[in-house]
Amino acid sequence: MSKNKPKESGQSKFLVFFMVILIPAVFALILAVVLAFYFGFGDQLQRLASVLPFIEEPQEEMEDASESGEESEEGISDEEYILQLENENETYLQEITRIESELNSKDEEIVSLQEELVTIQSEDLGIEGEEPENDTTDINDIVKTLEEMTSSKAADIIGEIPQDEAITYLRIMQVNSRSEILSKMDAEAAAGLLSEMSN
């Protein structure tokens, strides 16, 4: 029993050291490295770590491999690559210039079409503005003519024209003329006109 106690005591000291000191220290070191890379101190850490001999060599090997990989993948040197990029840049600039000139010509075309549209609309408004006056004058003349006729002749005419026109004329007429004309019309036709006029 006494032999087990020293053995357990040595194991418990090792476990305490391992659990209390070593694991938190490793965790803190990993956390510090991650935070350094996150906050932009990664390059400084790499330079600091390059002092260690076992870290320096693999990094150089990786850089050499990446440089040789770039040349082998592309198959061109840096100067040729720069010339290629300059040519692409000139091509894009020419395309941009062409598109801008097309855009300007389209803008000019839009402006001219808008001017034509305004001209056409103003002409249409002028024509439309004249027509309602003529229509109103014509309708008033027709109503006046119907009122001056005898009521029986006006009733015959109202009975022959389309119902919409007849309603329009009857609405404009004076009440006395309208009643005389409707009294001379067929009862069913007069009732139909009155019901349409009330709607």
Side-chain angles (χ1 to χ4, degrees):
M1 208 176 211
S2 60
K3 291 180 181 179
N4 287 341
K5 280 189 178 181
K7 191 176 183 182
E8 287 177 8
S9 138
Q11 286 180 347
S12 66
K13 287 181 184 178
F14 176 74
L15 286 175
V16 166
F17 172 78
F18 186 74
M19 297 294 280
V20 172
I21 296 172
L22 187 63
I23 290 178
V26 170
F27 179 74
L29 182 65
I30 292 171
L31 182 64
V33 169
V34 169
L35 288 175
F37 274 100
Y38 182 74
F39 289 113
F41 298 110
D43 294 336
Q44 293 173 354
L45 280 178
Q46 286 179 348
R47 275 189 253 126
L48 186 65
S50 68
V51 174
L52 300 172
F54 57 88
I55 294 180
E56 183 177 356
E57 291 176 7
Q59 187 175 3
E60 288 177 358
E61 289 175 5
M62 286 175 57
E63 288 176 0
D64 292 340
S66 67
E67 288 175 5
S68 64
E70 287 175 3
E71 289 179 5
S72 64
E73 286 176 8
E74 296 174 3
I76 56 174
S77 68
D78 289 341
E79 294 171 359
E80 291 174 345
Y81 184 67
I82 290 171
L83 287 174
Q84 181 182 0
L85 289 177
E86 287 176 352
N87 287 336
E88 288 178 9
N89 192 22
E90 288 177 20
T91 304
Y92 290 137
L93 288 174
Q94 290 173 354
E95 183 72 15
I96 288 171
T97 306
R98 184 185 64 79
I99 290 173
E100 285 177 348
S101 66
E102 283 182 12
L103 184 63
N104 289 336
S105 67
K106 295 292 182 187
D107 285 342
E108 291 171 2
E109 187 176 339
I110 287 172
V111 168
S112 67
L113 288 174
Q114 285 176 339
E115 289 173 356
E116 286 180 28
L117 181 64
V118 167
T119 305
I120 291 171
Q121 285 177 342
S122 64
E123 289 174 0
D124 287 346
L125 287 176
I127 292 171
E128 290 175 4
E130 293 172 5
E131 286 178 359
E133 292 176 8
N134 291 338
D135 288 345
T136 307
T137 306
D138 291 343
I139 291 173
N140 287 335
D141 288 342
I142 293 170
V143 169
K144 194 177 257 187
T145 304
L146 287 172
E147 287 177 337
E148 291 175 0
M149 290 182 181
T150 60
S151 57
S152 59
K153 287 185 180 178
D156 290 340
I157 293 172
I158 294 283
E160 295 295 322
I161 61 175
Q163 191 173 13
D164 293 338
E165 287 181 40
I167 291 169
T168 304
Y169 299 148
L170 289 172
R171 282 188 176 152
I172 297 173
M173 282 184 193
Q174 295 177 358
V175 177
N176 293 338
S177 301
R178 184 182 332 155
S179 62
E180 289 178 11
I181 292 171
L182 288 174
S183 67
K184 299 293 182 180
M185 289 181 68
D186 180 43
E188 289 180 18
L193 288 173
L194 286 174
S195 67
E196 287 294 323
M197 285 176 61
S198 65
N199 291 337

